Amino acid sequence: MKKLYDVKFYNVGQGLFAELNLELEGKDTFRIVYDCGTLNKQIYMRNALQEFTERSKKPIDLLVLSHFDRDHISGVLDLISRVEIKLIMLPMASHDIRIAASFLKRGYQYNMAKWELETLSDPVKKFSEEHERYHPESPQTKFIFVNSAKPYESNEDIPTLEVEGPTLSPIQLPRVSKIPSGYPLGIGNYEFLISFYNDIRVPPTAPNFELNVSNITSILTDSSSSPEVKKQAFEDLRELFQTTFKGSARLKNIISLFTYIRPAFAKENVGVRLVKEESKVPSRVEYNPTVGRFGALFTGDGYIESETVFEELKKALKFENNIAILQVMHHGSKSNWYRGLAQSFSPVLSVFSSDPDRKTTRHPHESVLKDFVRYGAICVDRDNSCEITVIKK
């Protein structure tokens, strides 16, 4: 048997930290990290990062950040301090949308840590500075932004990546570029394909929102603003959001970068081996080779709340009932799901990364977990991680 790739979901609680290692012919593995954060105490993140570096000192070939919420990025600076990162993939969103969305999801906490504000304001600048600080002899980290899948104009002035037969080789890439959603990129000698889908939900009223929100975000991100001024700016932001979007809760979570990875040629005779860390007892899940489930789909906090949205995603990423590993959206929140979604995907394994005991979230929600229970549901939490290997006979 030949290993195609493996995936490790680390136990960070209410957050997400996943590592993939793709096996390339005659070469080293291609190392990918998808998200790196938690809402739990940072000791969970530090422990996971310690295990991550003990497993391998190899540089990260690709870091994908689905969005900029703390539970998905709180460990990124620590990660950069430990390991060289060659390429970072980010969802395209304007400066003000990034900041407004992050503040709106913080309840009544209108203060934000300095590192978080700097990251939201200019992720390229922040991550580049940190990388140069810890890895001064290494090449510059490259950045690719993924454009929105829906009509949306960002004010970010970034050149479009124009490479014939593009592959994810950081040496060949400009320092900062952008690609459209659904644009497939090759890894290695096109042994793997990877596609991205930036699900930024910005309705037609958003331009007015961005126009009016700019003054508010400048106050919230200004370290010289007094607590009273920041509090008023935060209230103004909540009122503007309510007026513009009629208080839609899901529009607070308007950014998520879906990532679909699959072997380019291994479409049959593929199996999945699951190792649950808590038991250390490997078990193998085999399935009909004619079905050919071999891909991995990471969803971050994305919304797939209707069959129409599912079909749009399926068309954009071109997955045809071939998902072996699914990271279930938004830690298993029922707001991001519709009944029957599990059957639509029919994955071999469905991974929930959350803290079921966290009172403010209680993820995964029971209805979502029940929907996926027939599709290899695995709960990764504060105590339990899991490792999955996809193999070809």
Side-chain angles (χ1 to χ4, degrees), residues 118-138:
E118 291 174 344
T119 300
L120 288 167
S121 296
D122 192 340
V124 171
K125 181 174 183 285
K126 182 61 177 177
F127 294 154
S128 296
E129 288 176 348
E130 292 295 309
H131 197 270
E132 187 174 348
R133 173 185 171 193
Y134 289 103
H135 311 284
E137 304 300 320
S138 300

Side-chain angles (χ1 to χ4, degrees), residues 146-157:
V146 181
N147 275 338
S148 170
K150 307 286 173 59
Y152 170 69
E153 291 296 328
S154 169
N155 56 10
E156 307 283 347
D157 185 18

Side-chain angles (χ1 to χ4, degrees), residues 25-38:
E25 288 288 346
K27 299 179 182 179
D28 201 354
T29 57
F30 191 92
R31 196 179 196 190
I32 302 173
V33 168
Y34 186 89
D35 283 348
C36 184
T38 183

